Amino acid sequence: MTTLITGGAGYIGSITARAIRASGRAVVVLDTLENGHRKAVGDAPFVQADVADADAVRRTVEEHGVDEVVHFAAYKAVGESMENPGKYFANNVTGSQKLFEVLHTCGVERVVFSSTAAVYGTPSRVPVRETDAANCESVYAETKLMIEKTLGWYSRTTGMRSVCLRYFNAAGASDDATLGEDWRFSQNLVPHVMKAVLGRSPALKVFGNDWPTPDGTGVRDYIHVEDLATAHVAALDHLSSGGASVTCNVGTGQGTSVLEVIAATERIAGRKVPHEIVGRRAGDVSEVFADASLIRGLFGWEPRRHLDDIISSAYAWHSANPDGHPS
Ligand code: WQD
């Protein structure tokens, strides 16, 4: 079995590619390297191309005997998407639609898609369920929902089947700390905490401690990137054993606050995280965490790692890779 991994030179894509290979599958990575890193691909077969390049995708499918696809390739900066919507609709939506049409014409009928809990926007309730209304509050989130809907129509009108995985907050690094997030571009909490504790940035800004949460700081569902990776393998197994198309939350079901992330980091690093409480960040919500019972029940998948594993792997990765990418 050969799995095509688009965006497999990125943070989640590269760690998932390892898990897919560990499941006994062959892989081929297709990535523009615009945001990813060639070293993160390791010794896996690699094609430098854009998913919108139909000829390159077709050649890759034919030359590698691709049976299934995990589609990560996308831009994912929420703020940038609101400043440059055209860039996000063209790359994420049009690029994905071109990819799916080539896959369909080549007879590749199994797709696992990297979606996001951001499609829920400000959740109407927590824990968030897949049946809760999608209420996108950013262009980025809207592009992910549009791609989910495109896959839904391919599923209804062709033989293509898909699993859309709505990630909650992916965090941490590979268990061996050789792959991780590039903190140069990330606006996410854990890379920012790591920069502050390692003295690579001024004090961490905590965006508000007046939220209606137990300690007043924002609560999120942080899922270890290695557990996220095994969720993709479970989704591929579901499809290759004939499973129907489905959309699943991928989270732990557990909420964790900003101050709890800081406390875990101080405990593991053995030093203080310089931080200051500032005003709320525009667009933030107080509390988001998953109801992950669907993926647990359907795939038998379980997250095995906890907050300390996220923090210790991120700390090891960022300590060894201050340039933000595998050296
Ligand atoms: C987490 C918490 C912040 C940074 C985003 C995207 C979403 C998804 C995951 C792709 C919040 C607080 C953060 C900082 C802070 N990405 N925080 N200081 O906003 O939940 O979701 O990443 O799919 O699309 O929107 O993640 O890590 O930015 O914030 O206090 O320097 O940490 O207020 O409570 P978020 P985040």
Side-chain angles (χ1 to χ4, degrees):
M1 194 110 71
T2 299
T3 310
L4 168 63
I5 304 169
T6 75
Y11 163 45
I12 301 173
S14 59
I15 293 168
T16 303
R18 278 189 182 171
I20 292 171
R21 296 178 81 179
S23 78
R25 292 169 166 93
V27 304
V28 50
V29 170
L30 184 140
D31 198 300
T32 59
L33 296 184
E34 186 180 357
N35 293 319
H37 299 287
R38 178 68 183 81
K39 281 188 182 295
V41 179
D43 64 356
F46 174 66
V47 175
Q48 184 168 357
D50 190 316
V51 293
D53 180 343
D55 291 338
V57 172
R58 186 176 301 108
R59 263 197 318 277
T60 304
V61 167
E62 289 164 357
E63 288 170 11
H64 293 267
V66 169
D67 301 290
E68 56 189 16
V69 180
V70 182
H71 179 34
F72 290 103
Y75 294 144
K76 63 169 191 167
V78 172
E80 183 190 38
S81 80
M82 301 300 276
E83 292 157 11
N84 191 346
K87 175 179 177 180
Y88 275 68
F89 286 119
N91 184 67
N92 293 6
V93 182
T94 306
S96 295
Q97 290 171 343
K98 290 182 175 178
L99 170 70
F100 300 154
E101 187 54 21
V102 171
L103 295 177
H104 172 55
T105 54
C106 291
V108 178
E109 299 193 326
R110 305 197 300 272
V111 178
V112 174
F113 172 56
S114 166
S115 191
T116 174
V119 302
Y120 297 111
T122 304
S124 52
R125 60 179 172 176
V126 284
V128 183
R129 295 163 178 76
E130 291 86 354
T131 49
D132 291 349
N135 175 26
C136 298
E137 294 170 1
S138 71
V139 167
Y140 160 75
E142 190 66 37
T143 66
K144 290 291 189 174
L145 186 61
M146 290 169 76
I147 298 164
E148 285 189 10
K149 291 182 175 179
T150 303
L151 284 168
W153 280 106
Y154 270 89
S155 185
R156 284 179 63 175
T157 57
T158 74
M160 187 181 279
R161 289 174 292 117
S162 53
V163 174
C164 295
L165 296 176
R166 290 179 175 171
Y167 304 168
F168 282 68
N169 290 58
S174 61
D175 287 334
D176 65 2
T178 59
L179 291 173
E181 196 167 1
D182 186 338
W183 65 6
R184 291 176 298 171
F185 311 111
S186 174
Q187 294 309 311
N188 291 143
L189 177 66
V190 172
H192 281 191
V193 168
M194 294 299 148
K195 270 186 185 172
V197 78
L198 288 167
R200 308 283 298 213
S201 75
L204 170 79
K205 291 182 174 17
V206 176
F207 296 135
N209 66 349
D210 58 349
W211 294 100
T213 61
D215 66 17
T217 62
V219 170
R220 295 292 185 276
D221 186 334
Y222 296 98
I223 172 101
H224 195 294
V225 62
E226 290 274 17
D227 286 330
L228 196 52
T230 58
H232 290 74
V233 176
L236 288 170
D237 289 344
H238 168 77
L239 291 174
S240 57
S241 58
S245 296
V246 66
T247 295
C248 299
N249 290 336
V250 189
T252 65
Q254 173 79 38
T256 301
S257 76
V258 176
L259 289 182
E260 286 171 325
V261 170
I262 291 172
T265 304
E266 293 182 339
R267 184 163 23 86
I268 288 163
R271 63 177 101 161
K272 286 292 180 195
V273 175
H275 63 280
E276 55 173 330
I277 307 293
V278 299
R280 295 180 176 185
R281 175 176 66 176
D284 264 353
V285 297
S286 69
E287 198 169 19
V288 184
F289 57 90
D291 175 333
S293 50
L294 178 59
I295 189 171
R296 284 182 155 98
L298 200 57
F299 298 171
W301 171 85
E302 283 292 337
R304 302 203 177 290
R305 298 163 183 84
H306 305 286
L307 178 64
D308 281 10
D309 304 307
I310 287 176
I311 298 302
S312 49
S313 62
Y315 186 69
W317 159 256
H318 288 295
S319 302
N321 299 280
D323 297 334
H325 53 80
S327 44

